[in-house]
Amino acid sequence: MRIGLITPEPGHPLLAATTALLCAEHEVEPLDPNAAAATVPDDPADVYLLKSRTPRALALARELERRGAPVVNSADATALCQDRTAMAELATRAGLPFADTRTYGSLAAWASGAPLRTPVVVKSRHSRRRDLVARVDDPAGLRELAAAWPQEPVVVQEFAPNSGWDHKLWAIGDRVFAALRRSELSPGERGPARPLAVDELPDGWADLVLRAGAVFSLDVYGVDVIDTGGGTPLIVDINAFPGIRGQAGAPQALAALTLSRAGRRAVPAAAAEGEAGGCG
């Protein structure tokens, strides 16, 4: 079986460990969407993993889907998670506990006309690396942020009091993983993620993650949740194909999902988890 990786980083720890599990019996073929010569092959692989969110990567994935190749996650599901307005609208319609979200065409335009009465979280509407995510507590802070990001399309969410820790929840198929990490809105360094067993989550949170995946048609994804008190969850972000670093069992789960999507279920057991090599 041939497995394609749509990514500029096939050495990413999760992908490398998954490749090590698969390559004993299958061909794993990286497809770098950033390469000038990147094109859809005449003979597509049996399944592709889409770990890139660039326009070029999405275009490649859509063409592969058009030719009948399964892509995990689909191009449409991946693109949806990049638009925080569309994300909030879909989550709200589906009844997920998602942060109330308002959208503005530019930060400067909103800041010039809106009184700020309570703390808010301001985010770039379009999710990407080094995008805007900031807590604003007062008009002075809003003016400062607007001066730095004047033309940025943004979403604004009311700040929900919480412990200052994000629950980083991930899913690969029906397997859920979890960790704790200091919120990027908290003062000081975030530091590394702390391990968290799934059975330590409040009741219903693991099922909430899987429900979010079903709503967004995602197979490999992350759901950022904060506890607003007494185990009450509030979803603040959903990500397609995040890193899921350092989670025991994640490479095995991804290998199994990959083969399942391509019509096979047997996973090679010889390669050790975490082995970061290719099929040399």
Side-chain angles (χ1 to χ4, degrees):
M1 180 177 296
R2 292 166 52 228
I3 297 155
L5 306 179
I6 306 174
T7 178
E9 300 178 280
H12 179 284
L14 175 61
L15 293 181
T18 302
T19 295
L21 289 166
L22 291 169
C23 67
E25 297 180 11
H26 308 282
E27 296 180 40
V28 181
E29 307 168 352
L31 176 58
D32 183 355
N34 296 339
T39 58
V40 172
D42 293 332
D43 180 21
D46 297 288
V47 64
Y48 286 85
L49 302 182
L50 173 59
K51 186 160 177 49
S52 179
R53 297 178 290 177
T54 65
R56 179 61 177 152
L58 294 175
L60 287 170
R62 286 195 170 95
E63 178 59 21
L64 287 163
E65 290 170 337
R66 190 186 69 79
R67 297 192 188 187
V71 178
V72 179
N73 300 290
S74 72
D76 284 349
T78 300
L80 176 60
C81 290
Q82 291 180 262
D83 184 339
R84 290 186 169 112
T85 297
M87 179 193 303
E89 290 174 349
L90 176 56
T92 301
R93 287 198 306 271
L96 296 173
F98 198 90
D100 183 57
T101 302
R102 307 187 302 276
T103 302
Y104 298 95
S106 75
L107 179 51
W110 173 66
S112 66
L116 185 64
R117 298 187 177 91
T118 59
V120 297
V121 178
V122 180
K123 302 178 181 179
S124 296
R125 172 175 177 171
H126 302 288
S127 175
R128 60 190 188 277
R129 288 187 178 182
R130 294 178 291 278
D131 60 0
L132 170 62
V133 179
R135 173 177 169 174
V136 180
D137 293 308
D138 51 44
L142 179 57
R143 289 193 297 271
E144 181 179 350
L145 192 66
W149 298 76
Q151 301 307 313
E152 183 75 2
V154 295
V155 298
V156 178
Q157 301 168 341
E158 299 298 324
F159 176 77
N162 62 88
S163 66
W165 289 87
D166 289 341
H167 288 76
K168 309 293 289 186
L169 308 179
W170 304 283
I172 300 174
D174 60 1
R175 178 83 181 272
V176 176
F177 304 86
L180 283 170
R181 192 173 185 189
R182 290 292 298 177
S183 170
E184 59 189 313
L185 303 176
S186 298
E189 295 294 327
R190 300 187 71 191
R194 295 184 179 180
L196 181 67
V198 173
D199 60 13
E200 295 181 78
L201 293 171
D203 289 344
W205 281 33
D207 290 339
L208 175 64
V209 172
L210 297 177
R211 183 180 165 206
V215 167
F216 282 82
S217 301
L218 293 165
D219 292 306
V220 184
Y221 57 98
V223 182
D224 291 349
V225 181
I226 58 175
D227 186 342
T228 59
T232 300
L234 183 68
I235 298 174
V236 295
D237 214 350
I238 298 173
N239 303 287
F241 219 126
I244 320 181
R245 295 172 183 263
Q247 294 292 309
Q252 284 85 351
L254 183 56
L257 174 68
T258 301
L259 296 180
S260 176
R261 286 296 305 272
R264 291 279 297 277
R265 297 184 181 277
V267 181
E273 178 186 342
E275 181 182 345
C279 308

